Amino acid sequence: MAANFWASTHGQYWMLDEAALRKSRETDLKYLKEIELAKIRGEDVYCFVLNLTSWFLYLVIAALGRRLNVRQVIIATAITYFKRFYTKNSYKNTDPYLVAATCMYLACKMEEFPQHIKSVILEMKNVTADQGGFGYDNQKVAEMEFYLLEELEFNLIVYHPYRTLKTLAIDLGQKSDVIQRAWHIVNDLFRTDICLVYPPYMIAIAAVGFVIMIKEARANHNGIDTRTRKGNGSVGGVGSGSRNEGRGISGIKELKQWFSGLQVDMEKVLEIIRNIKNLYSQWREVNEIKAQDVLRKLREAQNKS
Amino acid sequence: MKRSKPAPNNFGMLHDLKMKKEAKQIRVQEKYEIQGFISSGTYGRVYKAKAKEPKINEHGMEIECVYAIKKFKPDKEGDTHSYTGISQSAVREISLCKELCHENTIRLEEVLLEDKSIYMVFDYAEHDFLQIIHHHSQSERKPIPEFTIKSFLWQLLNGVAYLHANWVMHRDLKPANILVTADGVVKIGDLGLARLFHHPLVPLFNGDKVVVTIWYRAPELLLGSKHYTTTIDIWAVGCIFAELLALKPIFKGEEAKMDSKKNVPFQRSQLTKIFEVLGTPTKERWPTIDHQPEYNNLNSFRPYSNTLREYYDRLPSAKSEAGYNLLTAMLEYDPIKRISALDALSHPFFEEEPEPSFGSFEGQEFKYPRRTVKPEDNDIKGGIPAISSGASQAGVKVSANKKEDGRNSKRIKVEQ
Ligand SMILES: Nc1ncnc2c1ncn2[C@@H]1O[C@H](COP(=O)(O)OP(=O)(O)O)[C@@H](O)[C@H]1O
Ligand SMILES: [Mg+2]
């Protein structure tokens, strides 16, 4: 278990492939067409709308976590619960806000930072105040917790890339900013479903690899590549580091050497890096207002049904 | 705070999930035949049960499956009685038991949720250390055979080593929580206080103000340590080893109770008991002792000398010099110097005759009595509503199976 990812429930039961994920979205895709959400057609577009929704729900959960003053790991656990739940359920049939609050409540207990059920509800009310609010009481959240536990098959211990990052940090030494940047990328990746598909240690390594790639690109362009900087404005400082890091090419060479020495399936790592690039290229298209809008319509449709 | 629009009170949403759950719901009563109850503990009750459908093994033979079902009462708010979901202790135990898989830790068959209660279905274990110690001190009036003790201790350490290797601290090792199957295989149970200890989010102290039943509590905990380590489990194992030999707790102190403000009191009595046997801890024996929060309190104790040697030599079944060495290594004051579970496993004690085995009772001419299973009192509120006819007809009023010396019940918790 804890010492060996592949012996854990996370490694054994919760590594899904893309196909399984797509399948789990079918009900919602159909539903989106039915309610003509966003009045657009085409599978890709619907998928996009769906991603938008999950993106926005990440923001809701993260905001709730920040209000409760919990650490990033707890937010990550809550989001993982949330995503696991929605591989078996649809937005059509469940209220994502109720699920989100319950995931947070359970994650806090699991990560040994228990919160009062009332504080979770109160903060969820605050977070959702301008999006239709949160109308559930203790009893409902507690009831939801039961359903959640069952859908999670009582597999509550979740692994996160952060632990691997901490281990890698020992290799890289204190002066390196690579880990800090990778850390932010990992946070951002929880907007996607990557945590359901790849093992956390690979995600960590991919994030580090991405940082090194950016560093290399910047070094090659001798710091004139402002396009990358703008595009990644909100990606946790990647590409916005100070120009006088003093590492130069030799630093990057060392980094690359160190990186290629890591014992890991590099194919998979490259796959994840492609996902990271995708995420940041979508960044500009996805805007929060649009996502909120989609979610509001979704919940309205739920109320009517 | 912005005023929210009328919130959509989407109870229909829960309705859907309810239907989904009910469609596949297995009721405890349908799947298991409750044979009676075993224990009434901190969080709920433990029942003995038999699977109605026997399992078929690889040779096509039916195997009877017996289980212990631990029922957690719903967590309620003290005064308001409003339901607040699953308790932290249940979350801990479920999450860890789902991951653990080892010969010397109890196996969790499944978890069932029903009527706001949680039912954890464990493999049944016929005995536990407490019951066996009792049997020897009360009925048998003979020490536990050396081979059995060594086999118990080795398996216990084997389980603890597995837990520690997987970053799990048990935090409540004591005879009542160490189960033994009818064949003599040790199964560490009760992970209700256990937790993962890598990168703790908060100093361990914050989560639970008090861990480990007082008689098995390590000196660093008694002296107020906030960042303790797995070595607290080893101290408890040392205490258990001594108790298997002596048939009574080695450090049987009185617990100082928490005051109304929930301040953790100084455990003078428990420390005195320890000092009487091990001597007063000194800076030589425990160089960082002066960093312990309660260090200043130590001035008020009179000096004691170390009498563990005499204590050990008086014990009838303690003949091995290596056994004494191992005991001292586990009851080491300084947590840093205390032996690890892994090192303890390869201690010379286990290489001496008789060598330990998973069949701790091999060659024993007597059998231990089976676990007492009391028929359920149907009136007990919150019990499993109806149990198998045989037992319920008995209709005897039985109180909880509390052990009179409190070894089974003295666990105090303060949860946030
Ligand atoms: N798997 C089991 N088989 C048989 N008896 C058990 C089993 N698990 C627990 N018990 C009995 O029930 C008692 C209480 O269970 P435990 O898990 O320790 O809960 P608590 O948190 O109440 O102490 C144990 O001391 C033991 O006597
Ligand atoms: Mg117990």
Side-chain angles (χ1 to χ4, degrees):
Chain A
M1 53 159 299
N4 175 1
F5 173 74
W6 295 110
S8 70
T9 56
H10 188 164
Q12 288 187 330
Y13 311 122
W14 294 98
M15 289 286 93
L16 311 172
D17 57 27
E18 301 276 4
L21 269 186
R22 254 197 310 281
K23 194 153 178 7
S24 72
R25 298 284 181 272
E26 272 172 7
T27 315
D28 275 330
L29 281 177
K30 227 174 104 218
Y31 181 58
L32 290 180
K33 282 177 207 166
E34 259 169 43
I35 61 174
E36 292 201 337
L37 201 64
K39 298 238 185 302
I40 32 184
R41 248 162 278 143
E43 205 79 338
D44 283 353
V45 184
Y46 285 116
C47 278
F48 179 69
V49 171
L50 216 51
N51 288 344
L52 210 63
T53 315
S54 103
W55 184 300
F56 182 68
L57 286 162
Y58 160 87
L59 296 174
V60 169
I61 293 172
L64 175 61
R66 272 192 298 276
R67 279 187 166 273
L68 290 166
N69 237 332
V70 306
R71 300 262 198 116
Q72 190 61 38
V73 178
I74 298 183
I75 295 177
T77 298
I79 286 167
T80 309
Y81 288 169
F82 183 86
K83 288 180 184 295
R84 287 182 183 182
F85 179 88
Y86 278 109
T87 60
K88 297 170 158 194
N89 293 278
S90 60
Y91 291 135
K92 178 185 180 199
N93 290 329
T94 52
D95 182 355
Y97 282 8
L98 176 59
V99 179
T102 313
C103 287
M104 181 57 75
Y105 179 53
L106 183 60
C108 288
K109 271 190 274 197
M110 181 59 232
E111 302 289 353
E112 301 282 347
F113 195 68
Q115 299 294 312
H116 205 290
I117 195 164
K118 284 187 191 130
S119 351
V120 176
I121 292 173
L122 178 75
E123 294 306 347
M124 190 62 182
K125 282 194 162 101
N126 288 331
V127 168
T128 58
D130 50 1
Q131 300 140 39
F134 186 76
Y136 302 95
D137 61 3
N138 287 5
Q139 310 278 340
K140 286 293 159 195
V141 174
E143 191 182 342
M144 181 64 225
E145 190 181 32
F146 257 39
Y147 302 130
L148 176 63
L149 282 165
E150 217 145 68
E151 297 297 287
L152 296 176
E153 292 173 47
F154 303 98
N155 299 152
L156 302 180
I157 295 181
V158 178
Y159 289 64
H160 296 303
Y162 304 110
R163 209 194 298 164
T164 310
L165 288 180
K166 284 185 187 165
T167 315
L168 296 177
I170 300 169
D171 272 11
L172 290 175
Q174 297 223 311
K175 284 211 200 90
S176 170
D177 59 346
V178 171
I179 295 298
Q180 198 202 333
R181 292 174 176 204
W183 194 282
H184 289 293
I185 293 174
V186 166
N187 289 352
D188 289 342
L189 282 173
F190 279 100
R191 289 157 205 252
T192 72
D193 287 336
I194 273 183
C195 65
L196 295 178
V197 182
Y198 297 97
Y201 66 90
M202 280 191 189
I203 299 176
I205 290 172
V208 168
F210 183 73
V211 174
I212 296 174
M213 274 172 53
I214 297 275
K215 272 182 176 289
E216 187 183 23
R218 285 179 55 75
N220 288 344
H221 289 80
N222 203 16
I224 12 174
D225 190 358
T226 43
R227 190 181 50 81
T228 321
R229 277 182 72 181
K230 256 188 204 149
N232 293 334
S234 42
V235 303
V238 173
S240 59
S242 100
R243 238 162 263 183
N244 322 322
E245 278 162 355
R247 286 197 158 266
I249 306 283
S250 76
I252 283 172
K253 254 190 195 149
E254 278 167 33
L255 277 173
K256 282 180 71 177
Q257 208 166 40
W258 165 81
F259 188 78
S260 57
L262 294 174
Q263 298 283 330
V264 65
D265 179 349
M266 279 298 167
E267 280 296 299
K268 279 251 161 70
V269 169
L270 287 174
E271 252 174 67
I272 302 172
I273 291 182
R274 274 197 293 280
N275 273 291
I276 298 175
K277 286 182 183 159
N278 259 345
L279 168 72
Y280 291 131
S281 68
Q282 272 183 21
W283 205 278
R284 269 166 300 178
E285 291 172 60
V286 176
N287 82 50
E288 233 181 86
I289 309 288
K290 205 150 75 181
Q292 265 187 40
D293 200 43
V294 167
L295 196 66
R296 210 193 50 247
K297 282 185 186 145
L298 191 82
R299 292 184 88 218
E300 277 169 12
Q302 280 177 346
N303 283 347
K304 271 183 237 141
S305 67
Chain B
M1 185 183 116
K2 277 183 247 172
R3 235 351 310 138
S4 55
K5 282 175 246 160
N9 218 334
N10 240 323
F11 296 135
M13 295 293 112
L14 272 175
H15 178 76
D16 255 58
L17 277 166
K18 195 181 267 165
M19 301 304 284
K20 187 174 171 184
K21 177 170 159 57
E22 271 164 16
K24 63 167 187 201
Q25 165 108 13
I26 316 150
R27 315 272 312 171
V28 178
Q29 303 278 321
E30 278 162 30
K31 199 164 171 190
Y32 298 98
E33 180 187 314
I34 310 296
Q35 300 181 316
F37 90 100
I38 298 171
S39 154
S40 193
T42 333
Y43 294 104
R45 298 154 72 78
V46 179
Y47 298 84
K48 184 176 180 182
K50 209 178 85 186
K52 290 188 176 171
E53 285 275 316
K55 273 190 185 162
I56 309 289
N57 72 7
E58 62 268 35
H59 309 299
M61 299 211 316
E62 282 193 0
I63 30 172
E64 199 184 70
C65 297
V66 189
Y67 298 101
I69 301 185
K70 186 168 176 176
K71 176 188 177 181
F72 286 83
K73 297 183 207 109
D75 227 22
K76 284 191 178 162
E77 284 267 276
D79 41 352
T80 58
H81 289 284
S82 98
Y83 180 54
T84 58
I86 156 172
S87 72
Q88 173 122 39
S89 163
V91 170
R92 281 188 183 129
E93 192 159 16
I94 291 173
S95 63
L96 288 170
C97 287
K98 271 280 176 185
E99 308 287 331
L100 296 175
C101 176
H102 187 268
E103 180 74 352
N104 297 119
T105 55
I106 194 75
R107 195 185 69 89
L108 177 69
E109 164 80 11
E110 64 172 337
V111 186
L112 295 167
L113 300 176
E114 197 176 302
D115 304 329
K116 295 189 178 170
S117 291
I118 299 158
Y119 299 87
M120 292 183 76
V121 182
F122 292 103
D123 281 350
Y124 179 74
E126 192 62 78
H127 313 286
D128 55 61
F129 278 15
L130 180 61
Q131 177 208 23
I132 286 172
I133 291 167
H134 262 258
H135 180 73
H136 280 273
S137 64
Q138 311 296 314
S139 330
E140 198 80 9
R141 298 191 177 277
K142 273 209 301 258
I144 305 175
E146 197 185 356
F147 165 73
T148 306
I149 294 185
K150 205 189 268 188
S151 299
F152 277 0
L153 182 63
W154 188 86
Q155 293 182 72
L156 172 57
L157 284 165
N158 195 31
V160 171
Y162 168 77
L163 293 178
H164 290 178
N166 287 291
W167 291 313
V168 178
M169 233 189 271
H170 186 286
R171 307 198 301 174
D172 198 17
L173 291 174
K174 59 175 174 178
N177 289 339
I178 320 294
L179 306 164
V180 188
T181 68
D183 302 330
V185 181
V186 172
K187 304 278 180 188
I188 297 174
D190 198 354
L191 279 98
L193 257 190
R195 61 172 285 184
L196 288 169
F197 61 86
H198 51 94
H199 309 311
L201 296 182
V202 282
L204 290 167
F205 185 73
N206 282 2
D208 319 88
K209 287 217 169 128
V210 180
V211 297
V212 191
T213 308
I214 188 92
W215 298 342
Y216 308 92
R217 205 176 293 166
E220 62 270 29
L221 290 174
L222 296 167
L223 292 177
S225 227
K226 290 177 177 64
H227 297 273
Y228 48 84
T229 65
T230 50
T231 52
I232 64 157
D233 284 342
I234 299 298
W235 178 273
V237 174
C239 297
I240 294 169
F241 180 27
E243 190 164 338
L244 288 167
L245 293 166
L247 302 180
K248 57 175 198 283
I250 180 168
F251 309 126
K252 198 174 170 183
E254 289 287 322
E255 173 142 36
K257 293 290 177 231
M258 207 130 8
D259 65 16
S260 54
K261 290 189 200 106
K262 297 214 170 156
N263 290 319
V264 180
F266 181 62
Q267 298 293 350
R268 174 170 297 278
S269 159
Q270 184 60 30
L271 282 165
T272 308
K273 294 291 173 188
I274 295 173
F275 298 168
E276 279 169 7
V277 180
L278 298 179
T280 332
T282 56
K283 264 199 77 103
E284 282 92 72
R285 286 173 83 180
W286 186 355
T288 57
I289 189 171
D290 50 344
H291 299 332
Q292 299 295 315
E294 302 276 12
Y295 177 66
N296 288 335
N297 270 315
L298 289 179
N299 295 328
S300 58
F301 287 85
R302 76 166 178 82
Y304 294 91
S305 57
N306 188 346
T307 60
L308 184 63
R309 180 82 247 182
E310 290 87 327
Y311 182 92
Y312 187 79
D313 288 341
R314 275 200 307 273
L315 300 174
S317 56
K319 290 176 233 100
S320 158
E321 192 57 30
Y324 172 74
N325 285 336
L326 178 56
L327 182 63
T328 53
M330 294 195 287
L331 296 180
E332 178 66 60
Y333 272 127
D334 186 349
I336 293 170
K337 289 194 248 163
R338 207 172 294 152
I339 195 167
S340 71
L342 206 58
D343 288 342
L345 280 174
S346 51
H347 192 276
F349 179 53
F350 296 115
E351 273 146 41
E352 276 178 13
E353 286 293 319
E355 281 186 34
S357 145
F358 281 105
S360 315
F361 307 140
E362 280 162 22
Q364 240 174 51
E365 62 271 23
F366 61 91
K367 267 199 167 290
Y368 291 105
R370 309 183 72 178
R371 192 180 284 285
T372 27
V373 176
K374 315 229 170 151
E376 173 69 24
D377 174 354
N378 279 332
D379 291 338
I380 291 177
K381 229 178 118 209
I384 292 181
I387 65 159
S388 68
S389 53
S392 60
Q393 271 160 14
V396 210
K397 259 219 185 307
V398 244
S399 61
N401 185 17
K402 281 216 184 79
K403 300 289 195 300
E404 67 284 355
D405 65 7
R407 253 179 290 199
N408 210 15
S409 54
K410 277 202 180 170
R411 175 157 102 197
I412 302 176
K413 311 202 142 168
V414 184
E415 313 240 26
Q416 280 184 334

